[in-house]
Amino acid sequence: MQDLVIRDAEVVDGSGAGSYRADVVVDDGRIVSVVREAAAAGCQRPSAMRELDAEGLVLSPGFIDMHAHSDLALLRDPDHSAKAAQGVTLEVIGQDGLSYAPVDDRTLAEVRRAITGWNGHGDDIDFDWRSVGEYLDRLDRGIAVNAAYLIPQGTVRALAVGWEDREATPQELDRMRQLVAEGLEQGAVGMSSGLTYTPGMYAKDAELTGLCRVVASYGGYYCPHHRSYGAGALEAYEETVALTREAGCALHLAHATMNFGVNKGRAPELLGLLDRALAAGADISLDTYPYTPGCTTLAALLPSWASEGGPEAVLARLRDEETAERIRHDVEVVGSDGCHGVPVEWETIEISGVSDPGLASCVGTRLDGWAAARRLLLADRLGTTILQHVGHEENVRAIMRHRIHTGGSDGILQGTKPHPRAYGTFPQYLGRYVRELGVLWLEECVAHLTGRPAARLRLQDRGLIREGYRADLVLFDPRTVAAGSTYEEPRRLPTGIPYVLIDGRFVIEDGRRTDVLAGRAVRRTPVK
């Protein structure tokens, strides 16, 4: 007898097609049959060892978070309800060009320090891996949700070149190509960049194009956090479109938005640029989160010259009065490349987390100028995270409607007061932007969150409700599904998502997290 039958579900299958009523049978981790309108037809209904009445609930494929920062959270937090309770069954990690493989001992220590604000320092983690394959093997021991990995270009550059602002030598470029190829062979699905973060931002277009050619040869995709989301944003988008076209590489634009005052109402210009590239044959997709503020580290706002050499060099510059004044001038007057070419408006900066518990009183406050920012950067040793209130609702809505759009939380789980997108992105789409505002219709939205990202990842048995596909499934109530997280209470779990399955096993049951660790590493599908 089969394991499970989900009865009388309203199936939204991830393709964008209209919904239908069906019984869906699951066995041995896969969907084995989909019987449409079984009750109405009066036919023999499928049976199983367990029957779940889904009357009034929508059954969809599990949601795919195309931009996640759970690289260490998946290892330290077996519960991981921040994502599991949203219906996320797969996260794409290794984002923004900085993560923990491939590394050597030196690079690992540097990267841990550089992205403490994203993932914590990792003192609670046994870093028993160095290669991409070893990291994926570590995930395979059992995690809350599935995870796919992008090779982080900044980490690769740190390993082959260091943290200096200079062009790579031919030998160093060959070493980077080799590292990217090895990571793809070991199962990575593509490569990410953080082109406003050191040391990845020091790479010129020719270097990035060379690495993208390697990615393309393995059928992977390039996922850049590009050089600007503020002044020069359109030029930054054009740059990544051009270099991936030259490399013949698929492009996925990370948290693709138009922020800061200079870009208010300019989403149609971005979408026009992308439509022209698509018409010319480019392979492009993008992800966004359904909120207006951004989230990053306070140190990310510094100019690139001040970040050269790694975290200890940054701290030394901040301690020096003359150098600190040069930094202030770039940040407040010129507009640093770290802040997307826009002078910082301190009233938009809210402290969301600190690495030093002694600084907890700073969380939730707004910085009143450079002097306060400098003190905090030094006291917290660059570990401070921030919310940056610089987005525009009309841009958010316009971009999420586009046919190449997918969902990504960009969820940073560290800090006392993280961005609510970490806990709320997917129910926010379904509750606010489908039910309340009607910006997307339900079938369209589910396709954005399931089938479309699965196609980008070249997953042959995920992202749709089809016979033979893996039973990564979500049951939600379209009348009540909503994000519980708010800016005031960002760790509240969503409502209206009573069941989530990964490989046919319940990770959320009756609205509560089980102890099941069904997640594993999802490796790149080889090119045939």
Side-chain angles (χ1 to χ4, degrees):
M1 183 172 284
Q2 316 288 4
D3 292 335
L4 171 69
V5 58
I6 301 171
R7 291 214 185 280
D8 293 322
E10 190 66 23
V11 175
V12 177
D13 68 5
S15 69
S19 66
Y20 56 87
R21 196 174 181 87
D23 292 351
V24 176
V25 182
V26 172
D27 190 58
D28 195 25
R30 292 187 180 270
I31 300 167
V32 295
S33 68
V34 179
V35 183
R36 298 193 185 209
E37 303 290 352
C43 61
Q44 180 68 38
R45 303 191 72 176
S47 60
M49 289 186 290
R50 176 172 177 180
E51 297 184 2
L52 178 60
D53 182 3
E55 180 72 35
L57 299 179
V58 167
L59 177 67
S60 82
F63 304 137
I64 298 175
D65 188 342
M66 287 295 287
H67 192 106
H69 288 283
S70 301
D71 307 49
L72 298 186
L74 284 164
L75 300 177
R76 71 160 57 93
D77 179 18
D79 182 82
H80 202 46
S81 287
K83 295 302 178 67
Q86 292 187 60
V88 171
T89 58
L90 170 60
E91 297 184 275
V92 185
I93 56 178
Q95 299 285 353
D96 294 335
L98 289 167
S99 189
Y100 305 95
V103 291
D104 57 15
D105 292 349
R106 170 190 64 83
T107 309
L108 176 60
E110 293 166 345
V111 169
R112 287 176 63 183
R113 172 66 63 80
I115 54 176
T116 294
W118 293 355
N119 298 306
H121 190 262
D123 292 333
D124 53 342
I125 302 294
D126 178 11
F127 289 89
D128 59 351
W129 68 85
R130 292 298 179 268
S131 70
V132 170
E134 290 167 346
Y135 176 65
L136 297 181
D137 288 344
R138 176 69 179 275
L139 298 178
D140 274 340
R141 297 179 195 175
I143 49 180
V145 305
N146 295 311
Y149 190 70
L150 294 167
I151 300 165
Q153 171 258 329
T155 300
V156 167
R157 198 173 210 274
L159 183 55
V161 180
W163 295 73
E164 293 76 36
D165 183 2
R166 63 173 177 83
E167 291 190 25
T169 67
Q171 294 78 17
E172 290 167 339
L173 184 55
D174 285 343
R175 175 62 174 147
M176 286 190 279
R177 291 193 191 102
Q178 178 186 3
L179 289 167
V180 171
E182 289 173 353
L184 290 160
E185 289 171 357
Q186 292 164 10
V189 295
M191 181 180 76
S192 75
S193 283
L195 300 180
T196 64
Y197 300 122
T198 57
M201 69 191 307
Y202 300 139
K204 301 295 190 293
D205 283 3
E207 178 179 317
L208 296 171
T209 302
L211 298 180
C212 282
R213 288 195 176 101
V214 178
V215 175
S217 70
Y218 284 88
Y221 69 92
Y222 180 45
C223 179
H225 165 126
H226 50 275
R227 298 192 193 274
S228 177
Y229 291 83
L234 287 175
E235 291 80 4
Y237 282 111
E238 288 173 347
E239 174 194 21
T240 58
V241 169
L243 74 85
T244 49
R245 284 297 302 276
E246 182 177 347
C249 186
L251 172 63
H252 181 84
L253 297 166
H255 37 58
T257 188
M258 299 285 286
N259 285 339
F260 303 92
V262 295
N263 289 318
K264 183 176 175 61
R266 298 187 68 191
E269 295 178 56
L270 167 61
L271 299 177
L273 183 161
L274 298 178
D275 283 337
R276 290 189 293 274
L278 290 163
D283 182 0
I284 305 174
S285 55
L286 59 83
D287 66 69
T288 70
Y289 47 84
Y291 298 88
T292 53
C295 180
T296 187
T297 61
L298 183 57
L301 306 184
L302 302 179
S304 58
W305 64 262
S307 299
E308 184 180 4
E312 290 302 326
V314 178
L315 291 167
R317 293 185 182 102
L318 287 168
R319 293 187 192 102
D320 180 76
E321 293 294 336
E322 183 176 343
T323 308
E325 173 56 25
R326 286 182 58 207
I327 296 172
R328 182 205 67 78
H329 185 264
D330 273 11
V331 168
E332 291 191 333
V333 180
V334 176
S336 77
D337 47 4
C339 193
H340 310 279
V342 178
V344 170
E345 298 173 333
W346 293 111
E347 67 273 16
T348 69
I349 306 299
E350 178 183 1
I351 304 304
S352 61
V354 291
S355 61
D356 182 349
L359 298 169
S361 62
C362 297
V363 174
T365 64
R366 303 278 179 133
L367 292 172
D368 60 5
W370 166 249
R374 179 190 177 197
R375 286 194 300 271
L376 186 54
L377 285 165
L378 287 167
D380 205 27
R381 295 185 61 80
L382 312 181
T384 304
T385 53
I386 61 171
L387 299 184
Q388 201 167 10
H389 296 267
V390 293
H392 306 286
E393 179 68 16
E394 65 269 39
N395 287 347
V396 170
R397 296 189 191 189
I399 293 169
M400 74 169 63
R401 291 189 185 104
H402 199 273
R403 66 187 186 279
I404 61 171
H405 171 266
T406 67
S409 70
D410 195 16
I412 294 174
L413 299 169
Q414 287 296 116
T416 305
K417 195 180 180 187
H419 196 303
R421 68 193 185 195
Y423 284 72
T425 285
F426 295 86
Q428 179 83 339
Y429 271 117
L430 295 168
R432 177 165 172 76
Y433 288 94
V434 172
R435 184 181 64 248
E436 296 177 7
L437 299 177
V439 175
L440 299 168
W441 68 83
L442 180 60
E443 290 88 347
E444 175 190 27
C445 183
V446 169
H448 286 217
L449 307 182
T450 61
R452 188 173 297 164
R456 166 51 73 214
L457 294 167
R458 299 180 62 242
L459 304 178
Q460 298 175 351
D461 59 358
R462 301 178 197 265
L464 299 172
I465 294 180
R466 296 282 192 277
E467 292 182 1
Y469 274 56
R470 291 185 180 272
D472 293 353
L473 301 168
V474 180
L475 278 159
F476 63 89
D477 187 337
R479 301 159 297 185
T480 63
V481 62
S485 60
T486 65
Y487 293 101
E488 292 72 31
E489 296 183 77
R491 296 185 188 275
R492 285 176 53 191
L493 297 179
T495 57
I497 306 178
Y499 299 100
V500 181
L501 297 88
I502 296 178
D503 268 0
R505 302 168 67 191
F506 286 91
V507 297
I508 299 291
E509 187 170 8
D510 295 323
R512 293 185 295 273
R513 179 72 172 94
T514 70
D515 60 1
V516 168
L517 294 177
R520 298 293 185 270
V522 174
R523 290 166 169 81
R524 178 187 59 84
T525 302
V527 177
K528 295 182 179 180

